[in-house]
Amino acid sequence: MTPIQECIKNKNTKIIPIWLMRQAGRYLPEFREIRSQNQDFVKLCLDENLSSKITLQPIDRFKFDAAIIFSDILMLPYGLGQEVKFEKNFGPKLGDLNLDSLLKTNEDDFNNKLNPIYKLIYKVSKDPNLKNRDLIGFVGAPWTILVYMINKLSPKKGLNENFFKDKILIKKLLILIEKFLKIHIENQVKAGATIIQIFDSWAGLLKDNIEEYIYDPTLNLVNHTKKLGVPVICFPREINNYKNFCDFVNPDAINIDYSIDPEKIIKEIKIPVQGGLDPKILLNDKQTLKKEVKRYLDIFKDHPYIFNLGHGILPETKIEMVEELVKTVREF
Ligand code: 1CP
């Protein structure tokens, strides 16, 4: 069994596996090199030769316990026919949302559009470097996908004030998104993904209707993934109550964000925990990094724990700091 499966399925606390969110990305010079020659991000995600190469870059360098596929949560709206562009130094920009045409999305068209992602997964899963490692496929949670589809820009750029008002639109879209996320998850597992992570990056935006917009749709995806026989990890970033979320959704493991007190969480949550470390610590000196990493390792020494961050690694992170982090975790 791989170290992560050992942690999740057997609740083994003797080993602490490690991988990092956004490990295949801009802090890596070898990624920036490929990216500089490929301006169109969506096209890059759909080039299975390049995307499989990028997926394996952090494994070559740091020997993490899992590779996460190089793709994006916004490939789902792309598959549904909404335009998706990533602008340099700006972030994602989605095209107008036309509910009628989205509702007509045909499953075969969707599968064909995203087929390069499944080819990438198949290719990487056969790579000798993946021996005794997991291959993590992922999706955005229905709520987070909905936020991008309606807002068309990152909520960091502001949220349209009418956003929460059109409850009928929200409901219809959530059902559609959930249906295609299930297909996307199933295709990833069939292609060779051994774990699925569900990113709900904007869970913290929602104050009301949490059960209807977050718990219920996420639970449906979690149950769907469990039936496919692979573990599912949830990351409901900045949700107001991780314990309630876990009680309701019951994923195989929960990724905490860096605002969460790790000592409090192990008293509240029984399932394996992943992550937590503030990615900004990696911009500090090695001494501070080591101290903070050891604090997490000490707290989780009797609780099944997968080392990771409380959000994605920052682009300005130095390689030597990641090396120091991996070394500290491996030597513990
Ligand atoms: O190693 C990896 O994790 C690579 C695969 C990966 C994943 C899991 C990428 C590549 N994106 C994601 C998930 C993702 N994408 C999330 C969930 C996790 C999180 O909260 O960070 C979200 C919200 C997105 C949407 C997205 N993609 C944004 C917008 C974020 C925001 O501010 O609203 C942006 C800028 C991207 C582009 C992107 N995706 C991935 C990379 C490496 C990049 C940067 C591309 C570049 O400019 O070179």
Side-chain angles (χ1 to χ4, degrees):
M1 215 182 270
T2 63
I4 298 183
Q5 303 275 349
E6 186 60 48
C7 172
I8 293 180
K9 289 185 182 151
N10 291 345
K11 313 274 187 290
N12 188 336
T13 55
K14 296 278 178 295
I15 37 168
I16 298 182
I18 174 170
W19 70 278
L20 304 180
M21 290 192 283
R22 292 289 179 103
Q23 65 186 22
R26 287 177 294 181
Y27 73 108
L28 280 180
E30 55 271 38
F31 169 73
R32 290 198 301 268
E33 165 86 41
I34 295 180
R35 182 75 170 106
S36 69
Q37 290 152 19
N38 294 272
Q39 296 301 320
D40 185 334
F41 184 78
V42 172
K43 225 166 130 190
L44 178 58
C45 288
L46 294 173
D47 179 329
E48 69 258 27
N49 292 318
L50 287 176
S51 56
S52 56
K53 214 166 149 182
I54 297 169
T55 300
L56 289 164
Q57 283 176 346
I59 306 302
D60 290 344
R61 226 187 228 276
F62 306 111
K63 314 286 176 226
F64 289 127
D65 292 298
I68 180 160
I69 62 161
F70 181 76
S71 186
D72 200 87
I73 63 166
L74 299 180
M75 296 311 286
L76 189 102
Y78 168 83
L80 295 176
Q82 189 175 9
E83 191 189 10
V84 178
K85 283 192 297 198
F86 290 85
E87 252 168 48
K88 214 179 167 147
N89 303 322
F90 183 82
K93 262 191 187 172
L94 281 72
D96 285 337
L97 183 121
N98 180 333
L99 187 63
D100 290 332
S101 79
L102 289 177
L103 288 169
K104 288 192 198 113
T105 309
N106 167 292
E107 263 188 61
D108 290 336
D109 289 346
F110 177 85
N111 289 336
N112 285 336
K113 276 186 109 167
L114 299 192
N115 198 40
I117 302 177
Y118 313 130
K119 285 197 191 151
L120 135 78
I121 295 177
Y122 184 74
K123 212 169 140 82
V124 176
S125 72
K126 299 290 170 219
D127 194 284
N129 281 320
L130 261 257
K131 197 166 169 262
N132 206 30
R133 298 197 155 87
D134 279 286
L135 179 56
I136 302 177
F138 66 87
V139 292
W143 167 252
T144 284
I145 299 292
L146 175 106
V147 166
Y148 283 105
M149 285 179 77
I150 295 183
N151 204 50
K152 300 194 283 181
L153 296 177
S154 169
K156 279 183 199 155
K157 308 278 174 199
L159 202 60
N160 183 330
E161 56 184 273
N162 291 322
F163 184 87
F164 295 104
K165 292 207 180 119
D166 194 344
K167 297 228 156 74
I168 296 173
L169 173 69
I170 292 182
K171 206 64 219 172
K172 281 190 177 161
L173 253 187
L174 274 179
I175 292 170
L176 177 81
I177 293 168
E178 185 187 309
K179 172 181 164 192
F180 281 94
L181 283 176
K182 282 182 175 159
I183 297 172
H184 192 34
I185 289 175
E186 190 156 345
N187 289 341
Q188 293 185 59
V189 171
K190 282 187 178 148
T194 59
I195 293 178
I196 294 291
Q197 177 143 331
I198 302 175
F199 289 95
D200 210 348
S201 304
W202 297 106
L205 279 183
L206 199 61
K207 302 292 170 237
D208 306 303
N209 305 94
I210 293 188
E211 200 168 313
E212 196 182 355
Y213 296 165
I214 293 187
Y215 291 178
D216 286 337
T218 309
L219 175 65
N220 293 340
L221 294 186
V222 163
N223 286 340
H224 179 72
T225 312
K226 285 180 177 173
K227 270 193 218 136
L228 296 167
V230 300
V232 50
I233 305 172
C234 283
F235 181 30
R237 187 169 74 93
E238 287 177 8
I239 198 155
N240 62 352
N241 193 322
Y242 271 84
K243 183 184 172 347
N244 282 354
F245 177 89
C246 288
D247 287 347
F248 204 103
V249 176
N250 193 28
D252 294 294
I254 182 88
N255 196 115
I256 54 173
D257 65 71
Y258 55 86
S259 71
I260 294 297
D261 175 359
E263 288 184 88
K264 190 163 164 261
I265 209 82
I266 53 170
K267 291 190 192 109
E268 293 177 347
I269 289 175
K270 293 275 164 287
I271 62 174
V273 172
Q274 171 175 283
L277 185 80
D278 189 339
K280 285 194 283 305
I281 301 284
L282 285 150
L283 307 180
N284 236 296
D285 57 279
K286 287 187 182 169
Q287 220 62 27
T288 313
L289 171 70
K290 259 185 136 144
K291 208 174 134 213
E292 191 56 13
V293 171
K294 283 193 173 148
R295 188 171 78 86
Y296 273 88
L297 293 170
D298 272 325
I299 292 170
F300 285 103
K301 67 182 187 326
D302 298 317
H303 191 108
Y305 185 57
I306 303 162
F307 203 93
N308 204 319
L309 307 175
H311 200 190
I313 186 166
L314 296 162
E316 56 269 41
T317 308
K318 290 200 185 83
I319 298 293
E320 58 182 274
M321 295 302 279
V322 182
E323 286 168 351
E324 189 68 25
L325 164 66
V326 174
K327 193 166 150 248
T328 310
V329 174
R330 296 290 190 211
E331 280 172 2
F332 186 74

PDB file of all heavy atoms in Angstrom, residues 266-287:
ATOM      1  N   ILE A 266      -7.763  18.186  16.235  1.00  0.00           N
ATOM      2  CA  ILE A 266      -7.628  16.743  16.529  1.00  0.00           C
ATOM      3  C   ILE A 266      -8.554  16.284  17.651  1.00  0.00           C
ATOM      4  O   ILE A 266      -8.851  15.105  17.771  1.00  0.00           O
ATOM      5  CB  ILE A 266      -6.164  16.291  16.843  1.00  0.00           C
ATOM      6  CG1 ILE A 266      -5.554  17.133  17.926  1.00  0.00           C
ATOM      7  CG2 ILE A 266      -5.314  16.243  15.587  1.00  0.00           C
ATOM      8  CD1 ILE A 266      -4.225  16.570  18.415  1.00  0.00           C
ATOM      9  N   LYS A 267      -8.998  17.244  18.442  1.00  0.00           N
ATOM     10  CA  LYS A 267      -9.969  16.868  19.483  1.00  0.00           C
ATOM     11  C   LYS A 267     -11.359  16.711  18.891  1.00  0.00           C
ATOM     12  O   LYS A 267     -12.195  15.990  19.413  1.00  0.00           O
ATOM     13  CB  LYS A 267      -9.986  17.940  20.578  1.00  0.00           C
ATOM     14  CG  LYS A 267      -8.692  17.945  21.378  1.00  0.00           C
ATOM     15  CD  LYS A 267      -8.808  18.832  22.618  1.00  0.00           C
ATOM     16  CE  LYS A 267      -7.451  19.059  23.250  1.00  0.00           C
ATOM     17  NZ  LYS A 267      -6.977  20.444  23.072  1.00  0.00           N
ATOM     18  N   GLU A 268     -11.613  17.424  17.792  1.00  0.00           N
ATOM     19  CA  GLU A 268     -12.974  17.454  17.223  1.00  0.00           C
ATOM     20  C   GLU A 268     -13.204  16.429  16.111  1.00  0.00           C
ATOM     21  O   GLU A 268     -14.316  16.006  15.865  1.00  0.00           O
ATOM     22  CB  GLU A 268     -13.251  18.835  16.621  1.00  0.00           C
ATOM     23  CG  GLU A 268     -13.335  19.943  17.631  1.00  0.00           C
ATOM     24  CD  GLU A 268     -13.542  21.284  16.952  1.00  0.00           C
ATOM     25  OE1 GLU A 268     -13.385  21.389  15.717  1.00  0.00           O
ATOM     26  OE2 GLU A 268     -13.858  22.230  17.676  1.00  0.00           O
ATOM     27  N   ILE A 269     -12.124  16.112  15.381  1.00  0.00           N
ATOM     28  CA  ILE A 269     -12.277  15.321  14.158  1.00  0.00           C
ATOM     29  C   ILE A 269     -11.508  14.013  14.243  1.00  0.00           C
ATOM     30  O   ILE A 269     -10.328  13.999  14.584  1.00  0.00           O
ATOM     31  CB  ILE A 269     -11.800  16.171  12.941  1.00  0.00           C
ATOM     32  CG1 ILE A 269     -12.817  17.289  12.685  1.00  0.00           C
ATOM     33  CG2 ILE A 269     -11.612  15.328  11.686  1.00  0.00           C
ATOM     34  CD1 ILE A 269     -12.414  18.251  11.620  1.00  0.00           C
ATOM     35  N   LYS A 270     -12.214  12.924  13.915  1.00  0.00           N
ATOM     36  CA  LYS A 270     -11.583  11.607  14.032  1.00  0.00           C
ATOM     37  C   LYS A 270     -10.872  11.179  12.737  1.00  0.00           C
ATOM     38  O   LYS A 270      -9.927  10.404  12.768  1.00  0.00           O
ATOM     39  CB  LYS A 270     -12.639  10.547  14.380  1.00  0.00           C
ATOM     40  CG  LYS A 270     -13.253  10.716  15.767  1.00  0.00           C
ATOM     41  CD  LYS A 270     -12.405  10.061  16.847  1.00  0.00           C
ATOM     42  CE  LYS A 270     -12.768  10.533  18.237  1.00  0.00           C
ATOM     43  NZ  LYS A 270     -12.343  11.918  18.566  1.00  0.00           N
ATOM     44  N   ILE A 271     -11.368  11.646  11.590  1.00  0.00           N
ATOM     45  CA  ILE A 271     -10.820  11.178  10.306  1.00  0.00           C
ATOM     46  C   ILE A 271      -9.407  11.738  10.074  1.00  0.00           C
ATOM     47  O   ILE A 271      -9.017  12.724  10.714  1.00  0.00           O
ATOM     48  CB  ILE A 271     -11.742  11.566   9.117  1.00  0.00           C
ATOM     49  CG1 ILE A 271     -11.873  13.090   9.006  1.00  0.00           C
ATOM     50  CG2 ILE A 271     -13.109  10.907   9.243  1.00  0.00           C
ATOM     51  CD1 ILE A 271     -12.640  13.546   7.777  1.00  0.00           C
ATOM     52  N   PRO A 272      -8.613  11.097   9.193  1.00  0.00           N
ATOM     53  CA  PRO A 272      -7.273  11.606   8.891  1.00  0.00           C
ATOM     54  C   PRO A 272      -7.307  13.069   8.420  1.00  0.00           C
ATOM     55  O   PRO A 272      -8.247  13.484   7.739  1.00  0.00           O
ATOM     56  CB  PRO A 272      -6.796  10.686   7.764  1.00  0.00           C
ATOM     57  CG  PRO A 272      -7.552   9.411   7.972  1.00  0.00           C
ATOM     58  CD  PRO A 272      -8.891   9.830   8.480  1.00  0.00           C
ATOM     59  N   VAL A 273      -6.288  13.801   8.850  1.00  0.00           N
ATOM     60  CA  VAL A 273      -6.189  15.221   8.518  1.00  0.00           C
ATOM     61  C   VAL A 273      -5.029  15.423   7.554  1.00  0.00           C
ATOM     62  O   VAL A 273      -4.022  14.714   7.600  1.00  0.00           O
ATOM     63  CB  VAL A 273      -5.988  16.066   9.804  1.00  0.00           C
ATOM     64  CG1 VAL A 273      -5.693  17.523   9.481  1.00  0.00           C
ATOM     65  CG2 VAL A 273      -7.216  15.965  10.709  1.00  0.00           C
ATOM     66  N   GLN A 274      -5.182  16.400   6.657  1.00  0.00           N
ATOM     67  CA  GLN A 274      -4.109  16.768   5.730  1.00  0.00           C
ATOM     68  C   GLN A 274      -3.917  18.276   5.815  1.00  0.00           C
ATOM     69  O   GLN A 274      -4.869  19.039   5.926  1.00  0.00           O
ATOM     70  CB  GLN A 274      -4.525  16.351   4.308  1.00  0.00           C
ATOM     71  CG  GLN A 274      -3.603  16.861   3.202  1.00  0.00           C
ATOM     72  CD  GLN A 274      -3.982  16.316   1.829  1.00  0.00           C
ATOM     73  OE1 GLN A 274      -3.689  15.178   1.520  1.00  0.00           O
ATOM     74  NE2 GLN A 274      -4.615  17.127   0.997  1.00  0.00           N
ATOM     75  N   GLY A 275      -2.638  18.704   5.732  1.00  0.00           N
ATOM     76  CA  GLY A 275      -2.356  20.130   5.539  1.00  0.00           C
ATOM     77  C   GLY A 275      -2.368  20.990   6.767  1.00  0.00           C
ATOM     78  O   GLY A 275      -2.296  20.505   7.894  1.00  0.00           O
ATOM     79  N   GLY A 276      -2.451  22.293   6.549  1.00  0.00           N
ATOM     80  CA  GLY A 276      -2.556  23.255   7.636  1.00  0.00           C
ATOM     81  C   GLY A 276      -1.474  24.321   7.633  1.00  0.00           C
ATOM     82  O   GLY A 276      -1.746  25.489   7.897  1.00  0.00           O
ATOM     83  N   LEU A 277      -0.241  23.929   7.322  1.00  0.00           N
ATOM     84  CA  LEU A 277       0.874  24.887   7.420  1.00  0.00           C
ATOM     85  C   LEU A 277       0.648  26.092   6.501  1.00  0.00           C
ATOM     86  O   LEU A 277       0.330  25.942   5.324  1.00  0.00           O
ATOM     87  CB  LEU A 277       2.182  24.186   7.015  1.00  0.00           C
ATOM     88  CG  LEU A 277       3.458  25.035   7.175  1.00  0.00           C
ATOM     89  CD1 LEU A 277       3.921  25.050   8.621  1.00  0.00           C
ATOM     90  CD2 LEU A 277       4.591  24.507   6.283  1.00  0.00           C
ATOM     91  N   ASP A 278       0.854  27.279   7.067  1.00  0.00           N
ATOM     92  CA  ASP A 278       0.693  28.503   6.286  1.00  0.00           C
ATOM     93  C   ASP A 278       1.781  28.565   5.194  1.00  0.00           C
ATOM     94  O   ASP A 278       2.975  28.541   5.510  1.00  0.00           O
ATOM     95  CB  ASP A 278       0.836  29.705   7.239  1.00  0.00           C
ATOM     96  CG  ASP A 278       0.481  31.023   6.569  1.00  0.00           C
ATOM     97  OD1 ASP A 278       0.511  31.087   5.315  1.00  0.00           O
ATOM     98  OD2 ASP A 278       0.191  31.981   7.305  1.00  0.00           O
ATOM     99  N   PRO A 279       1.387  28.648   3.918  1.00  0.00           N
ATOM    100  CA  PRO A 279       2.404  28.667   2.853  1.00  0.00           C
ATOM    101  C   PRO A 279       3.371  29.851   2.971  1.00  0.00           C
ATOM    102  O   PRO A 279       4.492  29.780   2.456  1.00  0.00           O
ATOM    103  CB  PRO A 279       1.586  28.759   1.555  1.00  0.00           C
ATOM    104  CG  PRO A 279       0.160  28.853   1.930  1.00  0.00           C
ATOM    105  CD  PRO A 279       0.021  28.600   3.392  1.00  0.00           C
ATOM    106  N   LYS A 280       2.969  30.898   3.694  1.00  0.00           N
ATOM    107  CA  LYS A 280       3.860  32.056   3.862  1.00  0.00           C
ATOM    108  C   LYS A 280       5.096  31.714   4.704  1.00  0.00           C
ATOM    109  O   LYS A 280       6.131  32.375   4.598  1.00  0.00           O
ATOM    110  CB  LYS A 280       3.102  33.236   4.488  1.00  0.00           C
ATOM    111  CG  LYS A 280       2.166  33.928   3.490  1.00  0.00           C
ATOM    112  CD  LYS A 280       1.682  35.278   3.972  1.00  0.00           C
ATOM    113  CE  LYS A 280       0.588  35.218   5.005  1.00  0.00           C
ATOM    114  NZ  LYS A 280      -0.637  34.463   4.670  1.00  0.00           N
ATOM    115  N   ILE A 281       4.992  30.678   5.549  1.00  0.00           N
ATOM    116  CA  ILE A 281       6.137  30.252   6.377  1.00  0.00           C
ATOM    117  C   ILE A 281       7.322  29.887   5.470  1.00  0.00           C
ATOM    118  O   ILE A 281       8.489  30.059   5.853  1.00  0.00           O
ATOM    119  CB  ILE A 281       5.773  29.027   7.260  1.00  0.00           C
ATOM    120  CG1 ILE A 281       4.592  29.346   8.183  1.00  0.00           C
ATOM    121  CG2 ILE A 281       6.963  28.510   8.050  1.00  0.00           C
ATOM    122  CD1 ILE A 281       4.928  30.193   9.367  1.00  0.00           C
ATOM    123  N   LEU A 282       7.017  29.405   4.280  1.00  0.00           N
ATOM    124  CA  LEU A 282       8.086  29.013   3.354  1.00  0.00           C
ATOM    125  C   LEU A 282       8.838  30.222   2.788  1.00  0.00           C
ATOM    126  O   LEU A 282       9.867  30.071   2.129  1.00  0.00           O
ATOM    127  CB  LEU A 282       7.517  28.162   2.212  1.00  0.00           C
ATOM    128  CG  LEU A 282       7.161  26.722   2.599  1.00  0.00           C
ATOM    129  CD1 LEU A 282       6.024  26.187   1.769  1.00  0.00           C
ATOM    130  CD2 LEU A 282       8.377  25.813   2.470  1.00  0.00           C
ATOM    131  N   LEU A 283       8.297  31.411   3.015  1.00  0.00           N
ATOM    132  CA  LEU A 283       9.001  32.622   2.548  1.00  0.00           C
ATOM    133  C   LEU A 283       9.929  33.156   3.639  1.00  0.00           C
ATOM    134  O   LEU A 283      10.647  34.115   3.447  1.00  0.00           O
ATOM    135  CB  LEU A 283       7.989  33.710   2.149  1.00  0.00           C
ATOM    136  CG  LEU A 283       6.900  33.293   1.155  1.00  0.00           C
ATOM    137  CD1 LEU A 283       5.981  34.469   0.846  1.00  0.00           C
ATOM    138  CD2 LEU A 283       7.507  32.748  -0.129  1.00  0.00           C
ATOM    139  N   ASN A 284       9.877  32.525   4.827  1.00  0.00           N
ATOM    140  CA  ASN A 284      10.690  32.921   5.971  1.00  0.00           C
ATOM    141  C   ASN A 284      12.073  32.261   5.923  1.00  0.00           C
ATOM    142  O   ASN A 284      12.432  31.679   4.914  1.00  0.00           O
ATOM    143  CB  ASN A 284       9.940  32.457   7.221  1.00  0.00           C
ATOM    144  CG  ASN A 284       9.694  33.600   8.166  1.00  0.00           C
ATOM    145  OD1 ASN A 284      10.656  34.159   8.666  1.00  0.00           O
ATOM    146  ND2 ASN A 284       8.443  33.922   8.399  1.00  0.00           N
ATOM    147  N   ASP A 285      12.793  32.286   7.054  1.00  0.00           N
ATOM    148  CA  ASP A 285      14.089  31.595   7.086  1.00  0.00           C
ATOM    149  C   ASP A 285      13.910  30.125   7.473  1.00  0.00           C
ATOM    150  O   ASP A 285      12.843  29.733   7.953  1.00  0.00           O
ATOM    151  CB  ASP A 285      15.023  32.288   8.093  1.00  0.00           C
ATOM    152  CG  ASP A 285      14.403  32.335   9.458  1.00  0.00           C
ATOM    153  OD1 ASP A 285      13.565  33.233   9.700  1.00  0.00           O
ATOM    154  OD2 ASP A 285      14.705  31.456  10.294  1.00  0.00           O
ATOM    155  N   LYS A 286      14.962  29.334   7.258  1.00  0.00           N
ATOM    156  CA  LYS A 286      14.871  27.883   7.487  1.00  0.00           C
ATOM    157  C   LYS A 286      14.566  27.529   8.944  1.00  0.00           C
ATOM    158  O   LYS A 286      13.847  26.576   9.210  1.00  0.00           O
ATOM    159  CB  LYS A 286      16.168  27.202   7.045  1.00  0.00           C
ATOM    160  CG  LYS A 286      16.299  27.146   5.535  1.00  0.00           C
ATOM    161  CD  LYS A 286      17.507  26.328   5.106  1.00  0.00           C
ATOM    162  CE  LYS A 286      17.606  26.343   3.595  1.00  0.00           C
ATOM    163  NZ  LYS A 286      18.853  25.805   3.089  1.00  0.00           N
ATOM    164  N   GLN A 287      15.139  28.310   9.855  1.00  0.00           N
ATOM    165  CA  GLN A 287      14.932  28.051  11.290  1.00  0.00           C
ATOM    166  C   GLN A 287      13.447  28.120  11.648  1.00  0.00           C
ATOM    167  O   GLN A 287      12.893  27.217  12.279  1.00  0.00           O
ATOM    168  CB  GLN A 287      15.714  29.119  12.088  1.00  0.00           C
ATOM    169  CG  GLN A 287      16.400  28.590  13.318  1.00  0.00           C
ATOM    170  CD  GLN A 287      17.458  27.536  12.954  1.00  0.00           C
ATOM    171  OE1 GLN A 287      18.010  27.562  11.862  1.00  0.00           O
ATOM    172  NE2 GLN A 287      17.697  26.616  13.868  1.00  0.00           N
TER     173      GLN A 287
END
